[in-house]
Amino acid sequence: MNVLIKSATIVDSKSDFHNDTCDILIENGIITQIKDNIETPQKTKEISHNNLHVSQGWFDSSVSFGEPGYEERETIANGLKTAALSGFTDVAVNSNTNPVIDSYADIAFLKGKSQGNAVNLFPIGALTKNSEGEDLAELYDMSNAGSVAFYDYQKPIRNPNLMKLALQYASNFDGLICSFPQESQISGLGVMNENVMSTSLGLKGNPALAEELQIVRDLFLLEYTGGKLHIPTISTAKSVELIRNAKKRKLDVSCSVAIHNLVLTDDALKTFNTRFKVLPPLRTQSDCNALIEGLKDGTIDMVTSDHNPLDIEHKKIEFDYAKYGTIGLETAFGALNTIFTLKKTVDLLTKGKERYGLTSIPVAIGQKAKLTLFNPSEPYTLTKDMLFSTSKNSIFEDHEFKGKVYGIYNNQQLVIN
């Protein structure tokens, strides 16, 4: 499909056209012209929207869909459509499925299901067989099939020797090992942040210490093995400090933070609403401030929506028994755009690709067109009818945002809301 994007402000610090308002002509998937004004050629679709902005395609490093096994939560097809309408051209998909994605055939299944889509799906294989934390999964085989990392989604690896072996083994083929930062003996049955709020609500607390102890352990193991480690969704101020110091020691470590952990605190749980039950839990305002500072100085490498669709039967129950998780693709841009400048927001949404072996493509003549289209200034309040996901478990329902996504152009396909 040939497309002419009219009067779009380009937000891309790696482009010669950064901050310019131009027309962009795309022919056979390649950007052929970027000029002040381009006449619409024949058989070309013209795109014109209010306050239209364009950037490199966005990337999310932690997305769950459900299929196979939990299609009632989300299918791959609708999940990828949701990602596209939320501005994401690339998503790394967790093995949060039934059965767990832990073999060559499983990775091939995910790749096959996403074939021909506007959004590129990059599978994350399970680190251990069936994500049970006992034996390593077929890491090398999954890497050959297209797995970009290995992670038992939100399940800590209790056995330090297993983590040591994973780091050593994966270093033979430059594999990225992900370790969920929670020491399960310390976290116990905690369902929210251990703090004054958990005491006043009478809910069992999950202390910051549980996260920080696991990070310290994994950093020592990384220093010993010389492997390649990613720590997903950190949530405490001390975690930021630990990783900052590790990077100063030149350890090959990266980390991410879930966007909701930047915006919301454990005060949100006052109403016992299970929408706010997430893992890691919402922490304190001082933790939020430290996480934001960690993003500003580069200690935290990337943000993620940590998109995790859950059906109503798993959320509309007593707080102790509700599952952890929130959807987040649809609200990622609007939430970040209320905290950071537009340039920083777009920068954060396009970071992390290289860590997962992907390539960033600038908005430039002669380059493949992989673009996100959005309006950064439109305010709105999120309601359920705005959500594209099958499951509606959004932590940000009724929250005020700034910034609307129009859609994407990628793989010679235009997906516009």
Side-chain angles (χ1 to χ4, degrees), residues 5 23 26 40 44 46 54 95 106 123 135 164 172 199 231 235 250 272 298-299 317 357 361 364 367 393 396 411:
I5 300 173
D23 291 357
I26 303 166
T40 307
T44 299
E46 185 176 302
V54 167
S95 58
D106 294 333
D135 300 293
K164 181 193 73 147
N172 292 310
T199 303
I231 302 174
S235 67
K250 307 298 183 185
F272 293 92
T299 299
I317 53 177
I361 303 176
Q367 293 283 359
N393 56 306
F396 286 123
N411 296 332

Side-chain angles (χ1 to χ4, degrees), residues 13 49 139 170 294 364 412:
S13 56
H49 281 287
L139 306 188
Q412 299 191 46

Side-chain angles (χ1 to χ4, degrees), residues 368-388:
K368 177 184 174 183
K370 179 183 277 194
L371 306 172
T372 298
L373 291 72
F374 57 95
N375 176 350
S377 60
E378 184 169 333
Y380 69 97
T381 301
L382 183 73
T383 57
K384 279 187 178 180
D385 61 355
M386 295 178 179
L387 298 170
F388 310 115

Side-chain angles (χ1 to χ4, degrees), residues 40-171:
T40 307
Q42 288 186 343
K43 297 181 180 179
T44 299
K45 183 175 178 62
E46 185 176 302
I47 301 298
S48 180
H49 281 287
N50 181 47
N51 195 27
L52 180 58
H53 286 59
V54 167
S55 74
Q56 289 187 33
W58 300 345
F59 169 65
D60 195 329
S61 62
S62 181
V63 172
S64 300
F65 287 147
E67 187 179 359
Y70 300 122
E71 287 84 356
E72 73 280 4
R73 301 178 186 177
E74 191 63 279
T75 62
I76 290 172
N78 193 67
L80 292 175
K81 179 183 176 184
T82 298
L85 294 172
S86 304
F88 293 91
T89 56
D90 303 277
V91 291
V93 175
N94 295 305
S95 58
N96 186 23
T97 55
N98 184 25
V100 166
I101 305 299
D102 63 359
S103 70
Y104 185 105
D106 294 333
I107 298 295
F109 168 80
L110 285 186
K111 297 283 283 185
K113 289 287 288 189
S114 65
Q115 200 72 29
N117 204 281
V119 178
N120 301 316
L121 184 155
F122 297 95
I124 298 175
L127 182 57
T128 65
K129 291 180 181 179
N130 204 35
S131 289
E132 291 175 345
E134 297 293 331
D135 300 293
L136 289 181
E138 301 170 6
L139 306 188
Y140 182 64
D141 283 354
M142 286 192 288
S143 178
N144 287 337
S147 178
V148 294
F150 307 100
Y151 178 32
D152 289 350
Y153 180 67
Q154 291 191 344
K155 293 182 179 179
I157 302 298
R158 298 187 183 191
N159 183 343
N161 190 54
L162 189 65
M163 178 55 64
K164 181 193 73 147
L165 291 173
L167 288 165
Q168 288 175 325
Y169 178 60
S171 65

Side-chain angles (χ1 to χ4, degrees), residues 189-211:
L189 299 175
V191 293
M192 67 171 291
N193 182 46
E194 183 182 87
N195 194 25
V196 173
M197 186 57 63
S198 62
T199 303
S200 65
L201 295 177
L203 292 173
K204 294 183 178 69
N206 180 346
L209 176 66
E211 176 171 308

Side-chain angles (χ1 to χ4, degrees), residues 4 10 21 48 83 111 131 146 183 201 230 236 260 272 283 297 303 305 311-312 321 350 364:
L4 177 62
I10 296 170
T21 300
S48 180
K111 297 283 283 185
S131 289
E183 210 298 321
L201 295 177
H230 179 70
T236 79
H260 48 263
F272 293 92
R283 303 287 188 183
D297 69 16
V303 296
S305 68
D311 51 84
I312 194 169
Y321 301 109
T350 54

